[in-house]
């Protein structure tokens, strides 16, 4: 069986400055994400889930106490790989209209980009402790904002993740200290990868 590998970042470590520093990205991707992948490979041995896709491992380990370590590390490996794709050096407001279908769906679901950002930032700030804020498509087709604790992921609840923000302190503490709301707003304003959200909506990604 081939171990999971740490995916490369889709941009240089300094490409998201000044919103996310190269130092933060070096630690976040190079230490935290790397550790989740390594720990997943260790936890999978003897679990019965060796050789499965990451998505299947998340689905099959969710809610199983004996597979908690597998679930936590698989979900964190998936969440981080997804998070990197949700960011882009020239994203945010400047890229919203050009995303076409994503802009239309966000506007239809939330009223405006400003209203979406306000609700999403509120979810990011309202997640008590470590976790993630999400834009998801629910099984009924509706777009919704969600938050999950620790490693948890909408895939384990039947929803399709479209966009996420990591709100663990390791995601922002070096750059923003305790100011999670400033981190959330800066990412939404300047880094949100709306072209990627459009691909998630269309099924292309
Ligand atoms: Mn993280």
């Amino acid at each position: 069986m081939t171990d999971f590998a740490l995916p490369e970042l889709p941009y240089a470590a300094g490409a998201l400055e000044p919103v996310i520093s190269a130092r933060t990205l070096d630690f976040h991707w190079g230490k935290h994400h790397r550790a989740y992948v390594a720990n997943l490979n260790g936890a999978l041995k003897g679990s019965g889930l060796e050789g499965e896709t990451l998505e299947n491992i998340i689905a099959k380990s969710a809610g199983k106490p004996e597979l908690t370590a597998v679930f936590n590390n698989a979900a964190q490996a998936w969440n981080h790989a997804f998070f990197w794709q949700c960011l882009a050096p020239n994203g945010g407001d400047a890229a919203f209209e050009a995303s076409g279908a994503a802009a239309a769906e966000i506007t239809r679901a939330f009223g405006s980009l400003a209203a979406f950002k306000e609700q999403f930032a509120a979810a990011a700030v309202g997640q008590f402790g470590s976790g993630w804020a999400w834009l998801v498509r629910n099984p009924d087709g509706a777009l919704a904002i969600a938050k999950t604790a620790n490693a948890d992921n909408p895939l384990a609840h039947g929803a399709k993740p479209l966009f996420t923000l990591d709100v663990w302190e390791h995601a922002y503490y070096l750059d923003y200290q305790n100011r999670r709301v400033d981190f959330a707003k800066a990412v939404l304003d300047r880094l949100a990868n709306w072209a990627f959200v459009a691909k998630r909506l269309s099924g292309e990604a």
Side-chain angles (χ1 to χ4, degrees):
M1 181 196 116
T2 310
D3 281 352
F4 285 102
L6 178 69
E8 291 298 319
L9 283 176
Y11 29 70
L16 305 181
E17 292 191 337
V19 178
I20 297 175
S21 67
R23 186 161 176 256
T24 286
L25 216 47
D26 279 337
F27 275 98
H28 198 173
W29 172 78
K31 305 284 188 196
H32 292 273
H33 190 179
R34 187 183 303 278
Y36 292 126
V37 173
N39 292 339
L40 170 63
N41 288 327
L44 276 173
K45 296 190 194 327
S47 69
L49 295 175
E50 301 94 326
E52 299 263 10
T53 65
L54 201 47
E55 289 81 1
N56 282 347
I57 291 167
I58 291 168
K60 291 180 178 180
S61 62
K64 300 211 172 94
E66 71 278 18
L67 292 173
T68 297
V70 170
F71 177 80
N72 283 340
N73 287 292
Q76 284 294 77
W78 193 96
N79 293 351
H80 283 87
F82 185 70
F83 179 46
W84 309 136
Q85 296 182 79
C86 288
L87 307 176
N90 296 304
D93 295 357
F96 184 68
E97 290 304 330
S99 70
E105 288 220 39
I106 291 292
T107 304
R108 188 159 54 235
F110 299 97
S112 66
L113 174 60
F116 164 78
K117 290 195 293 183
E118 192 172 318
Q119 290 178 43
F120 191 94
V125 172
Q127 169 54 40
F128 184 79
S130 296
W132 299 79
W134 304 88
L135 171 67
V136 300
R137 189 190 281 294
N138 280 328
D140 67 0
L143 300 195
I145 290 168
K147 57 190 181 185
T148 59
N150 300 318
D152 198 13
N153 171 310
L155 291 171
H157 308 281
K160 177 172 182 170
L162 304 173
F163 177 80
T164 195
L165 180 70
D166 188 341
V167 298
W168 287 57
E169 281 190 343
H170 67 228
Y172 59 87
Y173 210 85
L174 292 174
D175 298 331
Y176 297 84
Q177 291 73 54
N178 61 327
R179 301 187 312 277
R180 186 191 287 184
V181 67
D182 291 353
F183 167 65
K185 286 181 173 173
V187 169
L188 290 166
D189 288 347
R190 300 177 64 177
L191 299 180
N193 188 349
W194 290 111
F196 178 66
V197 175
K199 287 183 181 173
R200 293 292 289 174
L201 281 164
S202 72
E204 199 182 323

